[in-house]
Amino acid sequence: MPSLTLDTVPGDLFYFSPPADGSEPYNRVNTDPNSTLPLSNWTPEKHTVQIENVRGREAFYTLDEAGFQYFKHPAGHTAFIDEDQIKAEYYLESADLIKEITGASRVVLFDHTIRRRIPGQVDMVGKRQPVKEVHVDQTTSSAISRVHLHLPPSEAPELLKHRFQIINLWRPISHPAFDMPLTLCDYRTVDTENDLVAVARIAPERRGQTYRVKYNPQHQWKYLKGMTPEEFVLIKCFDSTEEKGVSIYTPHTAFPDPSAPDDTLPRESIELRALVFYD
Ligand code: OGA
Ligand code: FE
C-alpha cells in the first residue's frame, strides 16, 4: 500500500517578538568586520514546526498561489566568483527565464546575494550566511521605493500604474543544498493583516524595510530536499495586484534540517532579486 504519511521533518524556525523596551525594531546588514554594533534589537522566538519535503509534489506549489515555484533549468553561468561576470552572464540569463515564466513585459534585476556557509561565522559583508529568521525581503513601502531607486524618474511613475512584483530567484551553487536548506511558507496560510511586522533594515549604503513574521500555527512550511544547482525556486516577495487569492508576500528562512546527511557540504547559494513589470 502506498504510504499516506507526508515526508516531513521538524524544523526550528525563528519568528519575531518585539523589543522589550518598545523601541522600533531593526536589523543591521552588510556590517563591517570591525563593527561592534548590535545586529538587531529584537528577540527571535523559536518555534519547532513540521516542514514538508515537496519533492515529487512540486507542481502543487505555484508562484501566484503558494507564492513560490520550483523549476529545473541548469544555469549557463556556474562559477559565481567574479561579480562582473555574474552581472554580465547570470543576470542576463536569469532575467530571460523570469520573463519567460511570468510573461512580464520587463524584468530588472537589482541585487544579488551569494551565501557560502562557514560554521560559526557571523553574517557580514563579503561573508553572507544563511538567514536564520523568518522574513519577507520587502514591505509594500520598500517595494515601491525599489522602483524609484532602480528605474529612471522618467519611467517610475508610469510603471507604478501597472502591476509589478518583486521576485527572487534562489539557486544552490556547486553542490546540492542539503545543509541549511531554504524553507518557504505557503502564502495561503499567511494572515497578512496580523502576521507581518515592518522592521528597519539598516545597511551602510541605505536604510530600508523588511517584514519579520509573528508565529501563527496556521503556517504551512515547505522545502525541496537536496535542491541541486540545476534547480531553482522563484519566491514572490511582493505583488501590487489587488486580485483576491493571489500571493503577495512569501515568508521564508533557512533552517537546520535534522535529516540532512552527516557528510553534507556547507550550503552555497545565490539569490537574485528582480523587479517584474507588466503592461
Ligand atoms: C532570500 C533569502 C536566505 C538564505 O533568498 O531572499 O532570504 O538563507 N535567502 O538563502
Ligand atoms: Fe529573503
Side-chain angles (χ1 to χ4, degrees):
M1 253 195 33
S3 164
L4 291 176
T5 48
L6 292 176
D7 181 10
T8 65
V9 295
D12 288 346
L13 304 191
F14 291 91
Y15 280 93
F16 179 84
S17 76
D21 63 3
S23 55
E24 290 295 311
Y26 67 78
N27 276 92
R28 234 180 270 281
V29 296
N30 280 334
T31 53
D32 182 272
N34 301 318
S35 168
T36 52
L37 295 169
L39 291 179
S40 77
N41 65 341
W42 56 276
T43 313
E45 190 177 275
K46 184 166 95 175
H47 289 269
T48 306
V49 303
Q50 289 302 313
I51 303 181
E52 184 192 348
N53 172 19
V54 299
R55 192 166 287 285
R57 295 167 33 83
E58 294 95 315
F60 290 101
Y61 303 94
T62 64
L63 197 57
D64 272 349
E65 291 167 317
F68 58 91
Q69 193 166 340
Y70 294 101
F71 297 87
K72 185 158 186 158
H73 186 102
H77 181 94
T78 54
F80 299 109
I81 291 166
D82 184 280
E83 292 287 307
D84 290 338
Q85 260 176 27
I86 292 170
K87 286 188 178 146
E89 298 171 10
Y90 190 60
Y91 271 40
L92 212 63
E93 60 174 308
S94 300
D96 285 347
L97 263 180
I98 295 172
K99 215 167 162 186
E100 201 179 298
I101 291 166
T102 59
S105 49
R106 186 165 174 189
V107 172
V108 177
L109 296 180
F110 62 88
D111 180 39
H112 73 274
T113 306
I114 291 180
R115 302 179 194 274
R116 293 190 164 97
R117 189 168 83 83
I118 304 170
Q121 174 71 51
V122 295
D123 189 72
M124 63 163 72
V125 68
K127 292 201 176 133
R128 298 302 304 277
Q129 298 297 300
V131 175
K132 295 198 187 82
E133 297 153 3
V134 178
H135 71 281
V136 182
D137 295 22
Q138 276 86 26
T139 63
T140 298
S141 109
S142 62
I144 294 165
S145 304
R146 285 283 177 190
V147 177
H148 291 291
L149 191 64
H150 303 294
L151 277 299
S154 57
E155 294 177 51
E158 184 57 34
L159 289 167
L160 284 167
K161 288 185 191 152
H162 304 267
R163 185 183 187 189
F164 84 98
Q165 304 164 321
I166 295 185
I167 295 176
N168 289 10
L169 189 160
W170 189 99
R171 180 194 286 280
I173 293 176
S174 139
H175 49 267
F178 283 102
D179 174 59
M180 289 297 280
L182 190 72
T183 178
L184 298 133
C185 184
D186 192 317
Y187 176 77
R188 293 166 287 199
T189 68
V190 177
D191 176 351
T192 53
E193 298 284 307
N194 295 303
D195 296 349
L196 306 174
V197 181
V199 171
R201 176 186 185 275
I202 307 171
E205 65 282 5
R206 61 187 286 277
R207 201 184 167 100
Q209 215 177 43
T210 65
Y211 284 124
R212 289 299 187 265
V213 181
K214 288 192 281 184
Y215 176 68
N216 175 345
Q218 295 301 112
H219 291 164
Q220 286 185 18
W221 290 93
K222 312 290 169 184
Y223 81 122
L224 187 62
K225 187 169 175 165
M227 248 182 109
T228 72
E230 288 74 46
E231 296 173 316
F232 67 88
V233 60
L234 293 186
I235 312 165
K236 179 100 71 81
C237 288
F238 179 73
D239 196 328
S240 69
T241 186
E242 284 173 9
E243 203 181 317
K244 256 188 109 56
V246 175
S247 68
I248 303 178
Y249 315 103
T250 311
H252 53 276
T253 179
F255 78 103
D257 181 357
S259 75
D262 287 340
D263 59 352
T264 196
L265 291 166
R267 187 246 283 187
E268 298 185 16
S269 62
I270 178 165
E271 73 230 28
L272 287 180
R273 297 188 172 80
L275 281 161
V276 179
F277 298 102
Y278 298 83
D279 285 336

